[in-house]
Amino acid sequence: MYESDLTKFMRKFLEAHPEEVESQRKGRAIWWDKTKDERAPTPSMRHAPRAGGNEATFAAPGETED
């Protein structure tokens, strides 16, 4: 099975420096591993754009503009 030079390097590096694996876990926990209560609240969709956006711009087929 093919393995790139970068992958080989990273495997050897992490074998030689096991403390880096723990450092990676801590860094991931800072940004990603959060409980529901720790995450920012979901933003309100009140000001979200509406679908399409051109519905009022063009008259539907068969309608006439007044």
Side-chain angles (χ1 to χ4, degrees), residues 40-45:
T42 305
S44 167
M45 296 303 289

Side-chain angles (χ1 to χ4, degrees), residues 26-40:
K26 287 179 182 177
R28 177 188 163 95
I30 289 171
W31 292 102
W32 299 109
D33 298 339
K34 304 283 184 196
T35 65
K36 184 179 178 184
D37 295 331
E38 292 173 320
R39 293 186 190 123

Side-chain angles (χ1 to χ4, degrees), residues 14 17-34:
L14 291 176
H17 300 92
E19 70 278 1
E20 291 299 322
V21 175
E22 183 59 30
S23 174
Q24 286 177 337
R25 284 192 189 114
K26 287 179 182 177
R28 177 188 163 95
I30 289 171
W31 292 102
W32 299 109
D33 298 339
K34 304 283 184 196

Side-chain angles (χ1 to χ4, degrees), residues 2-14:
Y2 172 76
E3 196 170 66
S4 72
D5 291 339
L6 180 59
T7 301
K8 290 176 187 175
F9 169 78
M10 288 305 297
R11 285 189 198 284
K12 288 179 185 176
F13 179 82
L14 291 176

